[in-house]
Amino acid sequence: MSEGTMQRRAQRDQPHQRAKRLHRVLVCAAAVPVMLVATACSSGSGSGDGDNGSGASASASASPSPTVRAAAFDRLPEPCDVLKKDTLEDLVPKADESGKEGKSDDVSMRASCSWSSLDNNGVKGSQFRWLNVSLLRFESDVMRGAGDELAAKYYEKQVQEAGAVEGAKDARSEPLSGIGDEATTVRYGLKKKEGAFKQQTVVARVENVVVTVDYNGAGLAGEKTPDANALVKAAQKAAKEAVAAVASANGGDASGSPSKSPKSTESPKSPSASASKAAEAPDAAEARSSKSPARNS
């Protein structure tokens, strides 16, 4: 093909190519509004979906308020009335039956009562007895846990510390059945200048209340040392009566069971000053150390 022929063909093709380019431009221009409309619809739809998703997320994040199992017992009995008259006459025969109530900032959370007895037999010496009943109640708290669980932890602590006394001889503990939800007896001997003392501590838990009974005896001024087994049985009897008194004060039965099973509450109790005082209450071992002659040098 000659150079002239190629030039003429290129000249003929130019109008045709310009027409094709113009057609493509018109087609694209017509498509632009459609794309804009589609993009706008898509953008509006996405915005709505985003709002719905945000609302659902906010709704899902609004979790229910925390709850805690309600405590079974909400009061304590009068501490000096937890034991029967016959029991007091047996354990502390020469004591004032009214007892001596311990100091407490809140008697609904913490209470105690003690009795002391000295049976003087003249030149034959005398028999000494000391009895103390302590009651500690725990409330349910959303931050700290259910009342019965808090009481169980304190119960374990009391059992461990009951026999941890300087100079204690032959200390041993044994679990008990038939007294509250759990109970343990801790016993040991203690030699003092006044005589040989026999110490018995019964720690029992019933629901959210811990009962601690301390009972010790000694023969003074030549009187014989009391029988430790007899003292243990007496202390266990007192603990059983104290546990029953807790249940009775809350409408329960003599076995120490509450009137009805506690239910979870939808409006949990907030941490209270009373609960804090109960958690920080001094151990019964401290009370024994400050009041019982068996603990003094």
Side-chain angles (χ1 to χ4, degrees):
M1 181 180 297
S2 64
E3 183 177 351
T5 302
M6 292 177 61
Q7 290 178 350
R8 288 192 297 271
R9 179 172 295 181
Q11 291 174 355
R12 287 197 305 269
D13 291 342
Q14 285 178 358
H16 178 66
Q17 292 174 354
R18 285 197 297 269
K20 289 178 66 177
R21 285 196 297 271
L22 178 61
H23 178 72
R24 285 198 299 270
V25 169
L26 292 175
V27 170
C28 291
V32 168
V34 177
M35 292 173 64
L36 292 176
V37 171
T39 302
C41 293
S42 176
S43 176
S45 175
S47 177
D49 291 345
D51 291 343
N52 291 339
S54 176
S57 176
S59 176
S61 64
S63 58
S65 300
T67 61
V68 65
R69 181 174 61 257
F73 299 136
D74 58 10
R75 63 176 59 87
L76 293 177
E78 291 293 331
C80 294
D81 294 336
V82 297
L83 302 182
K84 299 176 182 177
K85 180 179 179 180
D86 291 346
T87 300
L88 287 174
E89 290 179 351
D90 184 31
L91 272 66
V92 280
K94 299 296 182 178
D96 183 350
E97 292 179 3
S98 62
K100 182 179 179 181
E101 186 170 348
K103 294 181 180 180
S104 174
D105 293 332
D106 187 349
V107 293
S108 71
M109 300 294 295
R110 176 186 173 214
S112 65
C113 191
S114 62
W115 300 260
S116 60
S117 171
L118 184 63
D119 186 5
N120 195 335
N121 297 314
V123 296
K124 294 182 179 180
S126 57
Q127 285 289 336
F128 173 81
R129 300 289 185 274
W130 182 79
L131 173 67
N132 184 81
V133 178
S134 298
L135 310 166
L136 190 61
R137 184 177 68 86
F138 292 83
E139 290 185 346
S140 294
D141 187 281
V142 292
M143 299 299 293
R144 299 171 59 236
D148 58 331
E149 294 175 351
L150 297 174
K153 293 179 181 178
Y154 182 77
Y155 163 83
E156 292 293 340
K157 180 180 178 182
Q158 283 289 83
V159 171
Q160 292 175 5
E161 294 183 353
V165 177
E166 184 178 356
K169 302 294 185 182
D170 302 321
R172 62 180 186 269
S173 63
E174 56 184 6
L176 295 173
S177 59
I179 301 180
D181 296 305
E182 52 186 339
T184 300
T185 297
V186 180
R187 54 193 292 188
Y188 57 85
L190 200 61
K191 183 69 174 179
K192 294 291 182 179
K193 61 182 180 180
E194 297 90 351
F197 286 82
K198 297 296 182 181
Q199 171 72 35
Q200 287 65 229
T201 299
V202 179
V203 184
R205 180 185 68 83
V206 54
E207 294 288 351
N208 57 309
V209 176
V210 176
V211 175
T212 303
V213 173
D214 287 299
Y215 184 49
N216 64 53
L220 307 179
E223 180 65 282
K224 66 179 181 180
T225 302
D227 179 53
N229 291 328
L231 295 180
V232 166
K233 290 181 180 179
Q236 293 172 352
K237 178 182 179 182
K240 190 171 185 177
E241 289 184 11
V243 166
V246 171
S248 179
N250 290 272
D253 57 35
S255 67
S257 301
S259 57
K260 56 183 178 180
S261 299
K263 299 179 180 179
S264 296
T265 173
E266 295 181 358
S267 300
K269 296 181 180 179
S270 59
S272 63
S274 297
S276 297
K277 290 175 184 176
E280 297 172 358
D283 300 330
E286 295 180 9
R288 291 192 293 270
S289 178
S290 62
K291 296 180 181 180
S292 170
R295 294 293 180 119
N296 298 330
S297 299

